[in-house]
Amino acid sequence: MPGQNWAEGYHFTLSKQDNTVLLTVFSLEQEGYFTRTLFNATTKQLISGIHKVPKGGGLFKEDSGISWNVLKMKDTFYKNFFSDSYSTDNLIYATTPKGLIATKNNGNTWENILVSQSYILDIHTNKQKISINAEEGLYISLNKGVTWNKLNTPSKVSLANLDIDGNVYICSNDKILKESNKLWIDMKVPLSSGIIGFKLYNKTLIAYSSDSIQMLNMKTSKWEEIGKFNAIDNIFIT
């Protein structure tokens, strides 16, 4: 939810993990740089924080508030993404004007993963699988970027994501579609107004418009509305 009054410019999310209530704060610090800070909402203890600054394209990452590591960038970059298994593989991806690069050592060395002159809109990882939604199309790798395939999509893709099993979902022409054997299956989202976005969490597909959020239980194939809201712009799941 967006902050107001003294907290204008801040966004807060509450979540629960292992019976601990977590507060995530997205904000701009005094010099206007993006920060994301995670607290224990009960004890107010700082758990972690990320601070993005333009110096050398670097991203400073804080672990439990004890130490900071600088991410060394060799090139101009647009966005950074952490692997879904970062705790074990230490993989960090960065999109650049030349495509996608990756590092396992905080930027001391970088490897080209995908060469593309097309602007990369988003990237998602699931174990060995990577999906890249670029302006020129949707790319999938089954081996962490060693080889790539371009998926044929029914129309231009605005959003793409991978579920827990590695299945590909896209948002296109106000529909959410799931890829299955080179076919696209309409998930038939019961939203009365246009789809703004969607999230995938465990066995649940969450779709939202500007005034409603719907959840699909993939085990039962049933949709459930979880609430009516005003002026939804984005939702966060942590």
Side-chain angles (χ1 to χ4, degrees), residues 59 71 73 77-86 89-96 99-104 110-114 120 123-132 141 143-146 148:
L59 175 73
L71 178 62
M73 299 301 301
F77 78 101
Y78 298 130
K79 296 179 182 179
N80 290 106
F81 303 86
F82 288 82
S83 162
D84 69 312
S85 51
Y86 173 77
D89 62 23
N90 295 318
L91 263 172
I92 302 174
Y93 299 94
T95 60
T96 76
L100 181 70
I101 57 178
T103 180
K104 293 183 179 180
W110 289 89
E111 177 184 0
N112 288 324
I113 301 298
L114 177 68
I120 295 175
I123 170 176
H124 292 277
T125 66
N126 184 314
K127 299 176 183 177
Q128 295 290 317
K129 208 166 192 177
I130 307 174
S131 74
I132 287 182
S141 173
N143 47 26
K144 285 198 172 182
V146 177
W148 291 90

Side-chain angles (χ1 to χ4, degrees), residues 156-160 169-176 195 198:
K156 187 173 179 60
V157 175
S158 59
L159 296 168
Y169 290 74
I170 63 172
C171 183
S172 178
N173 273 351
D174 206 30
K175 294 180 179 180
I176 295 178
I195 298 172
F198 71 94

Side-chain angles (χ1 to χ4, degrees), residues 52-92:
K52 185 176 181 181
V53 300
K55 182 180 179 181
L59 175 73
F60 287 84
K61 180 171 65 68
E62 180 188 15
D63 297 318
S64 301
I66 299 173
S67 62
W68 291 79
N69 295 318
V70 62
L71 178 62
K72 302 173 184 176
M73 299 301 301
K74 72 169 187 177
D75 204 349
T76 301
F77 78 101
Y78 298 130
K79 296 179 182 179
N80 290 106
F81 303 86
F82 288 82
S83 162
D84 69 312
S85 51
Y86 173 77
S87 60
T88 56
D89 62 23
N90 295 318
L91 263 172
I92 302 174

Side-chain angles (χ1 to χ4, degrees), residues 138 150-155 170 179 182 184:
L138 182 64
K150 186 177 181 180
L151 293 186
N152 292 321
T153 57
S155 56
I170 63 172
E179 194 272 339
K182 297 183 179 181
W184 292 99

Side-chain angles (χ1 to χ4, degrees), residues 161-219:
N161 208 336
L162 299 170
D163 69 12
I164 193 172
D165 297 318
N167 298 306
V168 181
Y169 290 74
I170 63 172
C171 183
S172 178
N173 273 351
D174 206 30
K175 294 180 179 180
I176 295 178
L177 308 172
K178 175 185 176 181
E179 194 272 339
S180 178
N181 296 321
K182 297 183 179 181
L183 298 175
W184 292 99
I185 301 171
D186 186 355
M187 303 307 293
K188 299 186 183 303
V189 183
L191 288 170
S192 57
S193 55
I195 298 172
I196 291 179
F198 71 94
K199 309 287 183 180
L200 292 161
Y201 181 72
N202 291 335
K203 294 289 186 178
T204 304
L205 167 62
I206 305 168
Y208 57 97
S209 63
S210 61
D211 59 4
S212 178
I213 300 175
Q214 293 274 353
M215 295 179 60
L216 173 66
N217 184 322
M218 296 180 187
K219 294 180 180 179

